[in-house]
Amino acid sequence: MKKDSRLTRAKLETLSSAELLAIADEYGIDAPDDLNRQFIIGDLLELASELEAGEKQKETISLSEGEEETININTLPASYNETKINVMLRNPISLFVWWDLSEWTIKKIKGGRGSLRLAIYFFESLQDERPSESFDIQLSLGDREQYVIIPGGKRIARVDLLADSAGKSDILAHTEKISIPKGSDIMASKPGEKLMVSRIVELSGASELLRRHYNRYRQSFN
């Protein structure tokens, strides 16, 4: 199902609960089967609004006589035909990961009917070779970026980009280890608790991110 930035409350209200769940799954929203449909509609409208904002950043340019192309004026080329991955701290409680895949890599994954995933590793120190904890995020071949919430108390992180095929996993690219500030400890707080954070953590948007994370994945906190 194609993502639609023109979703309206009136349109969503006409859909069955099964149809709403299907759309929520397409957007990557954590929506259990028994979740109140009004919560699903609210999350879908929020994401549709973000998509619409992105559409307004596009403009049409003339390439030659009679030929035009619509581009997003705030984005770089979609690909540099190079397989690599990068990571940076978005704020004290989340990472932003972005990557690129060469045409050869994409063809190899498709040919082997493989899949793509991120492996997020956490270490106690920069010198450690073995991670103390890890988790995976499944991807589609079209994905090129991912926000990652950092569990509380973590100090060092690394992200690997892997391709899985026929029971084997190949590391396509990996980031350097990145240090995580102590501000990530607020992730250990429980939903509803009043957070006592420093001014710089507040300015980073971490508190708002936590609120949105809980609202979108609240079923996972039960």
Side-chain angles (χ1 to χ4, degrees):
M1 186 177 297
K2 185 178 180 181
K3 294 180 181 179
D4 189 354
S5 63
R6 294 164 295 182
L7 292 175
T8 64
R9 180 172 293 277
K11 180 178 179 179
L12 293 173
E13 290 285 5
T14 65
L15 301 179
S16 67
S17 295
E19 289 172 322
L20 288 174
L21 287 170
I23 298 175
D25 183 65
E26 181 70 18
Y27 277 114
I29 297 175
D30 183 23
D33 293 344
D34 59 350
L35 184 62
N36 187 299
R37 59 184 281 118
Q38 293 305 318
F39 285 127
I40 304 175
I41 290 173
D43 287 342
L44 287 173
L45 290 174
E46 182 179 347
L47 288 178
S49 177
E50 293 175 2
L51 284 176
E52 185 178 3
E55 289 292 327
K56 292 179 180 178
Q57 296 177 342
K58 294 182 179 180
E59 66 178 23
T60 300
I61 61 173
S62 297
L63 301 178
S64 60
E65 185 176 351
E67 186 178 358
E68 295 182 336
E69 181 178 348
T70 299
I71 64 170
N72 190 315
I73 60 177
N74 291 328
T75 60
L76 295 173
S79 175
Y80 290 95
N81 198 28
E82 182 179 5
T83 299
K84 63 184 303 182
I85 186 170
N86 298 278
V87 63
M88 65 178 291
L89 277 170
R90 181 189 184 194
N91 54 39
I93 64 170
S94 66
L95 302 171
F96 177 61
V97 187
W98 72 103
W99 59 92
D100 195 8
L101 295 173
S102 67
E103 292 181 7
W104 181 88
T105 300
I106 294 175
K107 289 180 180 178
K108 182 179 179 181
I109 295 173
K110 287 182 176 179
R113 297 182 180 278
S115 60
L116 203 63
R117 64 184 167 96
L118 294 179
I120 319 297
Y121 297 104
F122 297 102
F123 302 84
E124 296 300 321
S125 72
L126 290 171
Q127 292 72 38
D128 288 352
E129 295 185 3
R130 284 183 167 276
S132 58
E133 188 177 333
S134 66
F135 62 85
D136 294 340
I137 299 176
Q138 297 298 320
L139 307 169
S140 70
L141 275 178
D143 292 335
R144 290 295 180 271
E145 61 184 41
Q146 177 71 43
Y147 288 107
V148 180
I149 297 294
I150 304 170
K154 305 307 176 187
R155 293 291 173 260
I156 307 293
R158 192 191 77 208
V159 184
D160 289 4
L161 180 64
L162 300 101
D164 298 322
S165 179
K168 292 180 57 179
S169 296
D170 294 323
I171 299 177
L172 303 177
H174 65 83
T175 71
E176 297 295 327
K177 291 178 180 175
I178 183 172
S179 297
I180 302 169
K182 291 184 178 180
S184 65
D185 290 343
I186 65 175
M187 283 301 296
S189 61
K190 297 179 180 179
E193 287 184 350
K194 185 175 181 180
L195 297 179
M196 302 299 293
V197 299
S198 64
R199 178 60 175 163
I200 191 168
V201 172
E202 182 181 353
L203 291 173
S204 74
S207 297
E208 175 62 17
L209 176 61
L210 277 176
R211 184 191 67 79
R212 294 183 62 185
H213 180 65
Y214 173 68
N215 285 340
R216 189 166 297 175
Y217 302 104
R218 54 189 160 272
Q219 295 297 319
S220 302
F221 288 85
N222 292 338

